[in-house]
Amino acid sequence: MSFNFEIIGAWLVVLMTLSIFSYLYGDNIFYKAAEHIFVGISAGYIFAITFWDQIHPNLLGRLFPSYIDAGYELELSYIIPFILGIFMILRLVPSLSWLARISIAYIVGMAAGLKFYVFINSNILIQIKSSAIDFNGSTFDVINQIIILIGVFSGLIYFFFSKEHKGTIGKISKLGIYFLMIKFGASFGFAVMGRISLLIGRFEELLTYSSSEFNYATPIVFVIMIIALGFWSFQDKKTSLNQDDSVNKITR
Amino acid sequence: MKKLLIRLGNVDRRWIFLLIGLSVLIPLLKPKWIRIPIETTLNTQVVFDEISKLEENDKILISFAYGPSTKPEIHPMTIALFNQLFSKGVKVYIVSLWPDGVIMAKDAMMQILDSKVFNLEDGKHYVIFDYKVGGEIVIKNIASDFRGLYMQDINKISVANISMMEDIKSIEDFDFVFDLSAGVPGNAEWVQYACDSKKVPLSSGCTSIMVTDAIPYVESGQLKGILAGMPGAAEYENLVYDFMINQNDNKFILNYDKIYPGKATSRMSSQSLAHVLMVLLILFGNISYYLLRKRRN
């Protein structure tokens, strides 16, 4: 007996997608199962890929080049990250968990140092430079840049808390709120657009897998799921009615 | 009328889910019923123009930082980008900053190879490198020491034996960088850790949700245009499709009959209809809420 893994994969995709969608009706066993499978598989996959693609070749490949051929030569300096990694795992041992702080301190310090320069350069200096108005541009560009400059200035004033927001400061900060609201509105619009795009992607796959080529995976799983949900919903109602009856009897 | 509007405000949310589902499903099932014209926005046009400036044997580094969850938005951009690059004879170098980025890169390349539009050879026209953990650290290393980071390609072939890797040492050896991302690390990290400091032109195709954060980089020229979510993908697809079918004597295109517009274009009807419905629901929801509050007072 031979298995067609493409068809098995299609059925799994349909089952998982419809299980997650079933949450829109209400919390149920299909959703719970799909949620747990997703989290478990994701964690396992990331763990495996991190070990085999990173730790195994880059760390162990440099410390034990005669055993692991990853194209590197012996580099003893890699003992330091190896020890820091072990310190992180020691968090699981209560008496030695304090050693993990050394690794965390290294990570935080290194990240802060890395971010410091690049953030100042790309997000502050260049952004300040680009918010200056270029009067050599077209009228439309100049108006656009003036609006951006007003938005930046009023937005910053809104976050300036050293002075009470009254009078002129209050008016400018209120203008800043409007600019922020426009930004949040645009972000919300884009977020909706993104979610709808994902929905389109799922529906497209469900439609593809509803063909005879995939043994009508979508309609079959869909019908089975509706029957199962209907059955459980009916059972739940029956159980809650019985419970209500027994409560009534006791109170009488 | 007032009563109806108030009742609409209290409708079970499951009816709204059903309506949204139908608004997406119907245009997918019956694409001819709803056709909405796609007009190119400035940011998409800038991306297309910047890529058009590249010449034969120029080198582009493409970063994959998305997975199956955001495939519907970004994959059409990838396919269109590959089509534009290969029809100009540009050499493509692919790195992945997300674990599933490699899967996406392979899938996109497989679609291009299966289309038989180009005659492409692994290691000669394109090279794919494996996923590296570290996000911005990887970007920083790519910027300074590409060869130190990537010793072999995804087929385990040493970079010393890959002809198109001869002159590649750091990011400065690339003529362009293109980021395809759905989160972190994404275009912001490429701007900050590599392209600003090394002065390499960068462009990006990203999910809709990232666009508002990336726009300041576009305005300042740190990003050369941006493909914004599915609409950006659809616009770019159309530009590339028009470009390819109007090439009469392009030596890189072998089969003109196999050139098709991409998937994002066909998805835009669903997107637009769902948006109209969302706007109406927000409008009715607010009117209903206003009337209800007025009645309570």
Side-chain angles (χ1 to χ4, degrees):
Chain A
M1 189 179 160
S2 65
F3 287 103
N4 186 333
F5 286 103
E6 199 184 349
I7 291 180
I8 294 170
W11 277 72
L12 280 173
V13 166
V14 170
L15 180 66
M16 288 297 135
T17 306
L18 290 178
S19 298
I20 294 291
F21 279 166
S22 69
Y23 185 73
L24 298 174
Y25 176 74
D27 203 1
N28 64 77
I29 194 165
F30 287 116
Y31 172 74
K32 282 263 181 261
E35 188 188 26
H36 287 82
I37 289 169
F38 176 71
V39 173
I41 288 179
S42 302
Y45 180 69
I46 293 287
F47 176 81
I49 210 160
T50 306
F51 181 79
W52 290 109
D53 282 5
Q54 194 67 23
I55 298 171
H56 186 261
N58 291 344
L59 181 65
L60 303 180
R62 280 175 165 116
L63 289 176
F64 312 105
S66 47
Y67 297 103
I68 297 160
D69 181 23
Y72 297 111
E73 288 174 5
L74 177 70
E75 285 182 56
L76 286 173
S77 62
Y78 275 70
I79 285 175
I80 298 166
F82 183 68
I83 292 168
L84 287 173
I86 288 172
F87 281 1
M88 283 291 259
I89 297 169
L90 286 176
R91 233 183 131 71
L92 299 169
V93 185
S95 59
L96 296 170
S97 65
W98 60 274
L99 284 169
R101 285 186 215 148
I102 298 169
S103 310
I104 293 168
Y106 171 76
I107 292 167
V108 172
M110 187 201 64
L114 267 177
K115 196 89 187 164
F116 186 75
Y117 166 73
V118 296
F119 196 83
I120 287 180
N121 183 45
S122 300
N123 286 34
I124 299 177
L125 295 177
I126 298 180
Q127 287 299 316
I128 289 173
K129 208 168 124 187
S130 73
S131 59
I133 302 164
D134 177 15
F135 287 102
N136 293 323
S138 65
T139 319
F140 177 77
D141 284 342
V142 172
I143 293 170
N144 195 26
Q145 284 168 350
I146 290 172
I147 294 170
I148 289 173
L149 186 68
I150 294 170
V152 169
F153 184 69
S154 56
L156 285 172
I157 290 289
Y158 174 71
F159 289 104
F160 181 69
F161 301 117
S162 301
K163 199 164 166 59
E164 203 175 348
H165 287 193
K166 275 182 180 174
T168 313
I169 298 281
K171 279 174 190 161
I172 296 171
S173 81
K174 198 163 189 180
L175 185 65
I177 294 174
Y178 290 126
F179 274 99
L180 289 172
M181 287 299 152
I182 291 167
K183 197 269 178 197
F184 294 146
S187 294
F188 177 72
F190 274 115
V192 168
M193 193 156 77
R195 299 298 171 245
I196 296 290
S197 302
L198 304 189
L199 185 64
I200 293 168
R202 295 324 308 144
F203 275 12
E204 260 188 356
E205 285 216 332
L206 289 178
L207 288 175
T208 309
Y209 297 143
S210 60
S211 64
S212 58
E213 199 186 332
F214 295 98
N215 297 340
Y216 307 102
T218 307
I220 293 174
V221 174
F222 186 63
V223 169
I224 291 172
M225 209 172 261
I226 285 180
I227 292 169
L229 286 174
F231 177 73
W232 280 321
S233 167
F234 179 71
Q235 289 281 92
D236 279 353
K237 231 176 221 174
K238 222 171 157 185
T239 321
S240 60
L241 277 175
N242 286 341
Q243 278 174 350
D244 285 348
D245 279 350
S246 51
V247 169
N248 286 339
K249 275 176 193 170
I250 292 163
T251 46
R252 267 180 221 154
Chain B
M1 185 67 184
K2 265 186 185 178
K3 269 186 182 176
L4 180 73
L5 279 168
I6 290 171
R7 277 180 69 186
L8 268 176
N10 294 323
V11 75
D12 191 333
R13 65 195 172 103
R14 281 174 281 201
W15 288 109
I16 295 170
F17 297 148
L18 186 67
L19 279 175
I20 294 281
L22 289 175
S23 72
V24 170
L25 195 60
I26 291 168
L28 287 177
L29 289 169
K30 298 282 175 195
K32 285 181 185 168
W33 284 7
I34 303 154
R35 278 193 178 171
I36 293 160
I38 295 166
E39 296 208 359
T40 311
T41 52
L42 179 66
N43 286 333
T44 309
Q45 188 66 52
V46 171
V47 173
F48 180 79
D49 293 343
E50 287 291 328
I51 300 290
S52 297
K53 284 179 197 164
L54 295 173
E55 291 171 2
E56 188 181 346
N57 289 328
D58 274 355
K59 301 174 187 81
I60 184 168
L61 177 71
I62 305 179
S63 157
F64 278 70
Y66 70 95
S69 60
T70 44
K71 193 179 168 189
E73 275 191 289
I74 302 181
H75 221 50
M77 298 175 193
T78 312
I79 306 288
L81 178 68
F82 280 171
N83 275 322
Q84 192 184 2
L85 292 169
F86 289 132
S87 60
K88 292 182 72 63
V90 177
K91 289 185 174 170
V92 175
Y93 301 75
I94 295 168
V95 293
S96 297
L97 302 180
W98 278 26
D100 25 19
V102 190
I103 302 167
M104 295 295 106
K106 279 183 182 172
D107 183 82
M109 194 56 78
M110 199 51 77
Q111 284 190 43
I112 296 291
L113 295 173
D114 287 347
S115 73
K116 303 210 185 308
V117 175
F118 311 102
N119 181 21
L120 300 174
E121 214 177 291
D122 193 351
K124 192 176 169 192
H125 302 101
Y126 69 91
V127 59
I128 303 177
F129 293 98
D130 219 337
Y131 162 68
K132 293 278 178 199
V133 181
E136 42 267 70
I137 309 295
V138 175
I139 296 174
K140 197 159 171 50
N141 280 332
I142 288 173
S144 55
D145 183 16
F146 191 92
R147 273 170 178 266
L149 188 66
Y150 295 101
M151 313 283 278
Q152 49 194 17
D153 76 347
I154 198 153
N155 305 314
K156 308 288 176 207
I157 297 170
S158 168
V159 289
N161 299 326
I162 300 171
S163 61
M164 61 187 283
M165 282 300 296
E166 261 174 30
D167 306 323
I168 303 294
K169 285 179 182 65
S170 73
I171 202 164
E172 285 158 308
D173 299 317
F174 293 101
D175 300 286
F176 205 89
V177 177
F178 203 99
D179 158 75
L180 295 158
S181 58
V184 177
N187 43 38
E189 283 70 27
W190 277 104
V191 166
Q192 293 169 356
Y193 290 94
C195 295
D196 266 0
S197 54
K198 302 284 181 178
K199 308 261 184 285
V200 182
L202 166 73
S203 203
S204 176
C206 61
T207 51
S208 310
I209 206 158
M210 291 168 69
V211 175
T212 45
D213 290 336
I215 284 294
Y217 295 129
V218 179
E219 291 288 325
S220 61
Q222 290 163 286
L223 274 176
K224 310 285 179 207
I226 192 167
L227 300 178
M230 196 174 276
E235 292 164 17
Y236 184 60
E237 263 179 2
N238 281 344
L239 286 172
V240 173
Y241 177 70
D242 289 344
F243 164 74
M244 286 176 76
I245 53 166
N246 289 323
Q247 298 274 303
N248 294 323
D249 52 349
N250 188 313
K251 62 178 177 179
F252 302 107
I253 301 174
L254 302 179
N255 208 337
Y256 284 89
D257 301 334
K258 302 275 183 184
I259 302 170
Y260 298 108
K263 281 187 173 176
T265 312
S266 60
R267 291 171 182 160
M268 277 312 289
S269 306
S270 293
Q271 180 80 258
S272 305
L273 194 65
H275 275 233
V276 170
L277 183 67
M278 287 288 290
V279 170
L280 290 176
L281 287 170
I282 290 171
L283 208 66
F284 283 126
N286 276 288
I287 293 170
S288 171
Y289 176 68
Y290 171 75
L291 291 173
L292 197 69
R293 206 173 58 172
K294 207 173 164 189
R295 184 191 267 185
R296 275 181 197 152
N297 288 338

